[in-house]
Structures are given as structure tokens and as C-alpha cells.
């Protein structure tokens, strides 16, 4: 059996997801406080508009969204605006509206070790981490396709040179 974030081995994630399903099945997650409590216990929260935030090991909150161009790829934005990619090796379609799925994927915190920084090379040849403000991060359709294809990013939409990751997405 595969181990690590992509392989979803038995362990804390499955236990957390089972506990979530049991509490939900017993009707214990009907109040907003109960939902907020179990989400925080599992390392995530939802902001007012429903978007998911993941709690990092150091307590920082990362914005999470899908890359809409490549199935199974998610984008993360840290509090400083740095952008990362994360790919589920087991799910081609990830429903970020489903707390059970979020719990199953992220409750053990292993995602943090698996995130890949998105990098670009500026006009002077310097390798820099891709940063976006919160609004641009929410509005961009996809970034990873540009990286995996090794193409120049559309300077009109992103304003960056060649994008790449440190690591590999499959």
C-alpha cells in the first residue's frame, strides 16, 4: 500500500473522517459551533463565503482552491502570498465544498510537507517564488498547466516569466 499524502494510507486521516461521518450521522453537526469545532480539530476552517483555509504546522492559515485546468491539483496561498501546488494522487475530482473530503485529505497535516512552491524566473534570471494577492489568487483559473508544460506564462494575465516547481506534479 502506498504511503504519504498522495497514497492516503490508513491512519489519522481515516480515523478523523470516520469520526466526522459518525458525528454527522448522529446529527451532532447541525449547529455552526459543532461544525466549526470539528473543522478546527481537523486543521481547517471555512471563511464566511465558504472557502477553505488549512492550518499549517506553525499556526499559519493557507487559502485552498482548485487549479481548474488540471484535475486533482489544488493551489495554496500562504499568509505572505506565496503560492504552492498540491496534487491528490487518489482523487481526480476534489470537492472542496465537502467537509468529509477536506477531513480525509488534510486532517493529518501531511499536506504541508507535500506542497510544492511555484517558482518563476524574472527577466534578470533570478528564481523567485510566485506571489499573488488574495483577490488574484481567487480569480486565476489555473497556474500549474503553465508550469508543467514548461511554457512562458501569459504576461498579460500573470505578469511573470517562465514558471516552474521545485519538485514534480504527476
Amino acid at each position: 500500500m502506498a504511503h504519504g499524502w498522495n497514497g492516503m494510507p490508513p491512519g489519522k486521516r481515516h480515523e478523523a473522517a470516520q469520526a466526522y461521518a459518525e458525528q454527522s450521522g448522529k446529527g451532532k453537526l447541525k449547529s455552526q459551533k459543532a461544525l466549526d469545532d470539528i473543522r478546527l480539530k481537523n486543521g481547517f476552517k471555512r471563511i464566511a463565503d465558504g472557502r477553505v483555509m488549512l492550518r499549517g504546522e506553525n499556526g499559519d492559515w493557507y487559502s485552498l482552491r482548485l487549479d481548474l485546468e488540471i484535475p486533482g491539483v489544488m493551489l495554496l496561498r500562504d499568509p505572505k502570498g506565496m503560492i504552492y501546488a498540491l496534487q491528490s494522487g487518489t482523487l481526480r475530482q476534489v470537492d472542496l465544498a465537502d467537509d468529509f473530503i477536506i477531513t480525509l485529505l488534510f486532517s493529518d497535516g501531511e499536506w504541508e510537507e507535500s506542497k510544492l512552491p511555484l517558482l518563476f524566473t524574472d527577466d534578470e534570471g533570478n528564481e523567485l517564488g510566485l506571489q499573488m494577492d488574495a483577490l488574484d489568487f481567487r480569480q486565476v483559473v489555473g497556474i500549474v498547466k503553465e508550469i508543467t508544460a514548461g511554457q512562458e506564462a501569459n504576461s498579460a494575465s500573470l505578469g511573470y516569466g517562465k514558471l516552474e516547481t521545485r519538485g514534480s506534479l504527476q
Side-chain angles (χ1 to χ4, degrees), residues 20-93:
Y20 179 91
E22 287 174 8
Q23 287 190 25
S24 180
K26 293 177 182 176
K28 294 183 177 182
L29 299 179
K30 292 188 178 187
S31 75
Q32 188 62 50
K33 180 174 179 1
L35 278 171
D36 291 344
D37 288 348
I38 198 165
R39 288 171 179 159
L40 287 175
K41 179 180 176 183
N42 290 315
F44 73 99
K45 66 181 179 180
R46 290 191 182 277
I47 56 177
D49 64 4
R51 286 180 283 128
V52 176
M53 303 287 289
L54 300 177
R55 184 177 48 227
E57 187 174 85
N58 65 359
D60 285 344
W61 288 98
Y62 290 73
S63 299
L64 174 69
R65 58 156 297 181
L66 298 174
D67 183 295
L68 299 177
E69 294 181 329
I70 301 178
V73 173
M74 290 160 278
L75 302 171
L76 297 160
R77 180 183 176 275
D78 75 13
K80 296 176 183 174
M82 292 294 297
I83 307 300
Y84 303 86
L86 189 62
Q87 184 170 20
S88 169
T90 56
L91 298 173
R92 301 294 289 160
Q93 292 183 324

Side-chain angles (χ1 to χ4, degrees), residues 135-150:
L135 182 59
D136 286 342
F137 180 71
R138 284 194 304 270
Q139 292 178 343
V140 70
V141 173
I143 301 170
V144 176
K145 187 174 183 179
E146 296 291 335
I147 295 164
T148 57

Side-chain angles (χ1 to χ4, degrees), residues 7-21:
M8 291 177 61
K12 185 178 184 285
R13 276 180 290 195
H14 285 87
E15 292 169 11
Q18 184 176 4
Y20 179 91

